[in-house]
C-alpha cells in the first residue's frame, strides 16, 4: 500500500536573513493513516518549519516529499494552493478564527468556499459543531468563546474541510490542562475514526498518552523516535 505521507532528506534553509538558517535538516518521515504523531522539541528546533513543509506552505530547499501519491517537492509553486486545499488542514495555537464571524459562520464559510451549496453546508456545519460539542455556542463570536471553545471551532473547521492530513501547531499552547486534553482527544478521534493523519507540534507532555508516536526534534533534525 502507498504510504500517505513520505518525506526523505527533507531540508529547508531560510536564505533571506543575514545568515542562512537550516531549520529542517535531512528529515525522514512516514505517516500512516489513522495515527497521531507528536513533534516535540525546544523552541527553534524546526517544528513549525517542518509542519509548514508537510502542509505545502513552504517549499523545501532539498529532499523529497510525497503527499498521497503526489510528489509535491517537485511541483511548481502555482500548484501548491490546490494541493493544500485538497489534502491539508491547519490548526494553530492562535486559533485563526475570523473575529467578526460567529462559530457557525467560521465553519460555514469554509464549506461555501469549497463550493458546497448553502443547505448542505448548513447541515454539515451544525453536524461539525455538534461533533465538538459546541451546538450551544453556534451564534457566539470568537471573543465570547473561551480558549478551549475557540480551538474546538478551529477543529470543527478542520473536520468540515475533510482533508486526509491535519497539522496542528501547539494547539493546546493557550489552553489549560482540561481543555488541552479535550482538544487532543478530538484530534485522536479524528485519526482513529476517520483515518486521518494527524501531526501535532507540542510542548505538552501531559497529552503523551494520546500520541501514537513521538518524534523529538533538535536543530532541525529528528534525533529520536518513541512509540
Ligand atoms: P519551532 O517551531 O520548533 O520553534 P521554527 O521552525 O519556528 O521552530 O524555527 C526553526 C529555526 O528557523 C529557528 O532558528 C528560527 O529562527 C528559524 N526561522 C524560522 N522561520 C524563519 C524565517 N522565515 N526566516 C529565517 N529564519 C527562520
Ligand atoms: Mg513553532
Amino acid at each position: 500500500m502507498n504510504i500517505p505521507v513520505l518525506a526523505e532528506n527533507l531540508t529547508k534553509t531560510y536564505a533571506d536573513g543575514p545568515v542562512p538558517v537550516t531549520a529542517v535538516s535531512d528529515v525522514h518521515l512516514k505517516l500512516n493513516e489513522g495515527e497521531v504523531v507528536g513533534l516535540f522539541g525546544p523552541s527553534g528546533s524546526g517544528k513549525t518549519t517542518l509542519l509548514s513543509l508537510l502542509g505545502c506552505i513552504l517549499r523545501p530547499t532539498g529532499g523529497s516529499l510525497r503527499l498521497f501519491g503526489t510528489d509535491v517537492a517537485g511541483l511548481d509553486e502555482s500548484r501548491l494552493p490546490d494541493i493544500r486545499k485538497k489534502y491539508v488542514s491547519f490548526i494553530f495555537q492562535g486559533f485563526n478564527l475570523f473575529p467578526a464571524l460567529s462559530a457557525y459562520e467560521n465553519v460555514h464559510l469554509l464549506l461555501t468556499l469549497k463550493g458546497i451549496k448553502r443547505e448542505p453546508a448548513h447541515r454539515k456545519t451544525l453536524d461539525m459543531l455538534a461533533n465538538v460539542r459546541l451546538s450551544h455556542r453556534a451564534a457566539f463570536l470568537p471573543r465570547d468563546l473561551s480558549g478551549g471553545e475557540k480551538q474546538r471551532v478551529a477543529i470543527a473547521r478542520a473536520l468540515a474541510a475533510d482533508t486526509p492530513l491535519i497539522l496542528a501547531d501547539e494547539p493546546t499552547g493557550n489552553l489549560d490542562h482540561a481543555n488541552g486534553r479535550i482538544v487532543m482527544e478530538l484530534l485522536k478521534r479524528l485519526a482513529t475514526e476517520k483515518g486521518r493523519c494527524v501531526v501535532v507540534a507540542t510542548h505538552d507532555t501531559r497529552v503523551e498518552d494520546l500520541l501514537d508516536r513521538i518524534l523529538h526534534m533538535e536543530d532541525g533534525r529528528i534525533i529520536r523516535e518513541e512509540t
Side-chain angles (χ1 to χ4, degrees), residues 3 11 20 32 44-45 50 56 72 81 90 108-109 131 148 150 162-164 166 181 185 194-195 203 207 209 223:
I3 297 156
T11 298
N32 301 306
S45 58
L50 180 54
C56 301
V72 293
F90 276 96
H108 191 266
L109 176 68
N131 239 294
K150 282 199 273 271
D162 222 11
T163 60
I166 295 170
R181 219 161 154 96
E185 280 165 355
K194 307 234 175 192
H203 293 285
V207 296
D209 60 301
I223 53 159

Side-chain angles (χ1 to χ4, degrees), residues 12-24 39-52 58 169-170 201 203 217 219-220:
K12 172 69 188 181
T13 301
Y14 294 107
D16 37 4
V19 285
V21 176
T22 298
V24 167
L39 213 52
F40 280 45
S43 177
S45 58
K47 303 181 298 296
T48 295
T49 303
L50 180 54
L51 289 180
S52 305
L58 285 177
D169 199 355
E170 308 201 19
H203 293 285
M217 285 193 83
D219 291 333

Side-chain angles (χ1 to χ4, degrees), residues 5-192:
V5 176
L6 178 62
E8 285 177 313
N9 299 106
L10 198 64
T11 298
K12 172 69 188 181
T13 301
Y14 294 107
D16 37 4
V19 285
V21 176
T22 298
V24 167
S25 187
D26 272 325
V27 162
H28 293 266
L29 179 66
K30 280 181 196 173
L31 302 176
N32 301 306
E33 272 175 22
E35 70 172 348
V36 185
V37 174
L39 213 52
F40 280 45
S43 177
S45 58
K47 303 181 298 296
T48 295
T49 303
L50 180 54
L51 289 180
S52 305
L53 291 172
L54 294 175
C56 301
I57 287 180
L58 285 177
R59 290 189 75 189
T61 47
S64 69
L65 175 63
R66 289 183 76 79
L67 289 187
F68 309 97
T70 304
D71 171 11
V72 293
L75 279 185
D76 192 77
E77 187 107 37
S78 64
R79 297 273 317 278
L80 294 183
D82 276 342
I83 296 283
R84 279 200 299 269
K85 205 155 118 190
K86 196 162 159 199
Y87 295 128
V88 193
S89 299
F90 276 96
I91 295 163
F92 301 93
Q93 179 174 16
F95 316 122
N96 280 45
L97 301 177
F98 292 104
L101 300 183
S102 68
Y104 172 91
E105 289 163 335
N106 263 284
V107 180
H108 191 266
L109 176 68
L110 178 125
L111 291 168
T112 48
L113 287 177
K114 280 172 75 88
I116 296 172
K117 296 234 158 50
R118 268 180 62 98
E119 192 48 36
H122 169 68
R123 269 179 279 121
K124 186 151 190 190
T125 300
L126 295 181
D127 197 31
M128 297 302 121
L129 288 173
N131 239 294
V132 297
R133 293 185 209 89
L134 276 182
S135 302
H136 61 305
R137 294 285 183 266
F140 280 47
L141 291 174
R143 64 159 187 261
D144 299 320
L145 297 170
S146 72
E149 288 170 337
K150 282 199 273 271
Q151 201 56 298
R152 276 145 65 199
V153 176
I155 291 177
R157 208 166 50 176
L159 262 165
D162 222 11
T163 60
L165 177 61
I166 295 170
L167 304 171
D169 199 355
E170 308 201 19
T172 65
N174 285 332
L175 305 181
D176 61 38
H177 181 50
N179 278 298
R181 219 161 154 96
I182 291 169
V183 160
M184 281 303 301
E185 280 165 355
L186 280 167
L187 290 173
K188 173 84 180 163
R189 231 179 68 206
L190 266 176
T192 47

